[in-house]
Amino acid sequence: MSSTRQPVYTHLVEGFGTVTITPVDPAADSALIHGWVTQERARFWGMGEASRELVREIYEDVDRRTTHHAFIVAREGVPVALFQTYDCAEDRVSECYEVQPGDTGVHLLISPGEGAPERGFSAGLMTAFLAFLFSDPATRRIVAEPDARNDKAIARLERTGFAVGPEIELPEIDLPEVYLPAKKARLCFLSAPAPQPENR
């Protein structure tokens, strides 16, 4: 099944290629996402035991929301990552720190890929993600909360310019439509770049 959804953002990263960001189509994309989230390397994503049907249901729930969004990221037309954004004030993370206006939360899962790791791959994707997020003037700060044990993700965020904040415990959510266990996470913050003065 192929998705009829169109990219909401396209960004050419010099020396890396064209990155497109397209809203997840739960029906068309569930098999792809299931293949990514159930791998051992994605253990911090917390969906290792999920069935394909459950993956579809989870992303149908995200798709219905106005505060949470999920995207398939492609490089030169090849899917390479799952990217999620959310309004921090409408998420469980709001119970763990003082949310500021314009705080946008993010989750990122890079696909397994094939062959040897490509140098600069994560950096190229991060360049496109940040351009996408800060293209919305309402976004004043990006908030990431990787699993506290995920040293690799925390180091990647730090290299990208995020300030590493305190360790927190995200509370359990147990609702009919969604269940999330409590999780220790590390807050990381990146403020929007200051506007450049116009040349006169």
Side-chain angles (χ1 to χ4, degrees), residues 30-143:
S30 60
L32 176 69
I33 295 171
H34 179 260
W36 290 352
V37 301
T38 53
Q39 294 199 13
E40 164 61 20
R41 64 186 298 281
R43 62 192 179 281
F44 295 123
W45 200 256
M47 293 171 65
E49 302 300 318
S51 65
R52 180 176 165 182
E53 188 57 37
L54 178 59
V55 168
R56 177 173 173 165
E57 288 174 5
I58 287 168
Y59 285 95
E60 284 174 343
D61 180 64
V62 172
D63 205 38
R64 284 190 290 267
R65 295 171 183 256
T66 57
T67 55
H68 292 61
H69 307 279
F71 305 92
I72 293 291
V73 182
R75 175 202 190 189
E76 300 296 338
V78 178
V80 292
L82 175 63
F83 184 51
Q84 296 179 203
T85 65
Y86 58 91
D87 179 349
C88 292
E90 300 297 327
D91 190 83
R92 62 177 176 167
V93 75
S94 64
E95 298 182 35
C96 303
Y97 85 105
E98 196 170 326
V99 177
Q100 297 180 10
D103 277 2
T104 296
V106 295
H107 297 299
L108 169 64
L109 178 66
I110 296 176
S111 74
E114 295 179 3
E118 180 183 337
R119 186 174 178 82
F121 187 83
S122 297
L125 287 182
M126 292 297 286
T127 297
F129 297 149
L130 297 183
F132 169 56
L133 290 162
F134 288 133
S135 69
D136 181 353
T139 297
R140 302 307 308 145
R141 188 169 65 160
I142 300 171
V143 181

Side-chain angles (χ1 to χ4, degrees), residues 17-28:
T18 299
V19 176
T20 53
I21 298 177
T22 305
V24 165
D25 180 332

Side-chain angles (χ1 to χ4, degrees), residues 154-166:
I154 295 167
R156 181 191 300 134
L157 290 166
E158 201 167 12
R159 285 196 305 273
T160 307
F162 280 74
V164 177

